[in-house]
Amino acid sequence: MVGREEVVGFLNSELNAEHFNSIDDADFNGALVDGSEEVEKVGLCTNTTFENIESASELGCDMVLVHHGGWKRFDMDLFEEKKQRIRENDITWYIAHQTLDCADEFGVCVALGDRLGIEIDGKYCEIQGGPHGRYGHLEVSREEFLDRLEGTEPDYRFIGDIGEDIEDQKIGIVGGGGGAFGDIVKETIDIGCDVFITGNTMFANEIYAHEKGLTVIVLEETSSERWGVYALGEHLEQEFPEIETVRIEERNW
């Protein structure tokens, strides 16, 4: 086992949490609830839900790394109840939102790109302290890319068509709700992307992308972002071999 403060300190440092928490209107990043003083098992999931809290307890987790959570704008009147449920289970609940969106080695877009066989060439889409988006090109065949896409999210959908020449095209990635923001869709086009991969969209932006000739691949929010959480868990295990990480099975919101 490893001391909780040592683990939290490592995560804060690796994710540059202090920087992101200093940005106006940024979401909270860090330990939302302090649990057991020792950490042996860490759960990995995307969302702070009652189901995930229960699963973490059943799995015997001392800590959970999560991408979404700890915000009254999401949970409203359930916010304090969720925190109390976490406390009752003596779990440290660690939030990595903007910090994980913008991270290089294990960030949301980097991990999703790696999962799909995309070589990252650069960054774009500055949000609340750093660049969220990444762009690049396929380093695998078109057929393997589609196979990987199917394995990542069976319910994905296309806006437009994936051409036979996708291996030569520029691909933008903004996980989560990137496609719900018109300025992000426009920036993706403006930097010369032919294809845009994101977690969810909004109808007006779908129309705009269609009319501008941008092919959009839409995953669900959770399935576009969980790979970053998993990559962060692997990074944590490398630093602390005594810690075991487990993936919490969760609904694909």
Side-chain angles (χ1 to χ4, degrees):
M1 291 189 285
V2 184
R4 179 192 68 219
E5 293 304 317
E6 184 178 359
V7 177
V8 170
F10 172 76
L11 290 170
N12 285 344
S13 176
E14 293 295 287
L15 292 163
N16 201 7
E18 183 177 355
H19 163 71
F20 286 94
N21 286 336
S22 71
I23 304 299
D24 289 343
D25 298 322
D27 292 317
F28 172 77
N29 295 272
L32 174 67
V33 175
D34 289 333
S36 171
E37 292 186 2
E38 300 290 332
V39 178
E40 184 173 11
K41 182 180 288 188
V42 176
L44 309 173
C45 60
T46 311
N47 304 300
T48 299
T49 65
F50 287 120
E51 291 172 346
N52 288 348
I53 294 168
E54 182 178 354
S55 293
S57 177
E58 291 174 351
L59 288 167
C61 296
D62 309 292
M63 174 181 282
V64 171
L65 300 183
V66 67
H67 189 48
H68 297 142
W71 316 317
K72 290 184 179 179
R73 65 186 176 90
F74 273 22
D75 293 321
M76 295 178 281
D77 58 307
L78 297 177
F79 175 67
E80 292 299 335
E81 185 179 351
K82 286 186 178 181
K83 289 207 302 183
Q84 182 58 31
R85 192 79 60 85
I86 294 166
R87 289 191 192 98
E88 290 171 355
N89 286 283
D90 202 23
I91 297 172
T92 296
W93 206 265
Y94 190 96
I95 311 296
H97 191 223
Q98 281 97 350
T99 55
L100 195 59
D101 283 333
C102 300
D104 284 323
E105 182 181 350
F106 39 77
V108 164
C109 295
V110 174
L112 180 59
D114 182 65
R115 172 81 179 177
L116 296 176
I118 297 169
E119 178 74 23
I120 302 299
D121 298 321
K123 309 175 185 181
Y124 77 112
C125 184
E126 187 84 15
I127 58 161
Q128 295 172 313
H132 180 177
R134 299 293 187 272
Y135 62 84
H137 63 277
L138 281 188
E139 59 177 355
V140 299
S141 68
R142 179 180 185 274
E143 290 71 25
E144 184 174 346
F145 168 72
L146 292 174
D147 285 344
R148 291 188 179 201
L149 187 62
E150 181 74 21
T152 299
E153 174 47 78
D155 297 324
Y156 68 88
R157 61 188 176 91
F158 290 129
I159 300 167
D161 298 314
I162 291 293
E164 294 296 329
D165 61 343
I166 188 174
E167 292 152 319
D168 301 320
Q169 294 182 339
K170 186 173 182 178
I171 302 172
I173 308 171
V174 180
F181 298 92
D183 56 342
I184 294 178
V185 176
K186 185 176 186 303
E187 185 179 357
T188 302
I189 295 167
D190 289 345
I191 66 171
C193 290
D194 307 286
V195 177
F196 179 44
I197 302 172
T198 189
N200 60 59
T201 60
M202 183 265 216
F203 82 96
N205 300 334
E206 294 187 8
I207 293 171
Y208 180 78
H210 168 72
E211 293 182 333
K212 294 288 287 187
L214 176 70
T215 297
V216 183
I217 303 175
V218 187
L219 312 178
E220 295 290 350
E221 177 106 10
T222 297
S223 61
S224 75
E225 297 186 310
R226 63 185 175 192
W227 309 105
V229 180
Y230 296 163
L232 178 59
E234 291 174 2
H235 184 65
L236 184 67
E237 278 191 331
Q238 290 171 2
E239 178 68 18
F240 301 107
E242 313 95 307
I243 290 177
E244 174 192 1
T245 64
V246 291
R247 296 180 180 184
I248 297 173
E249 294 295 326
E250 62 182 318
R251 191 175 304 187
N252 190 18
W253 296 104

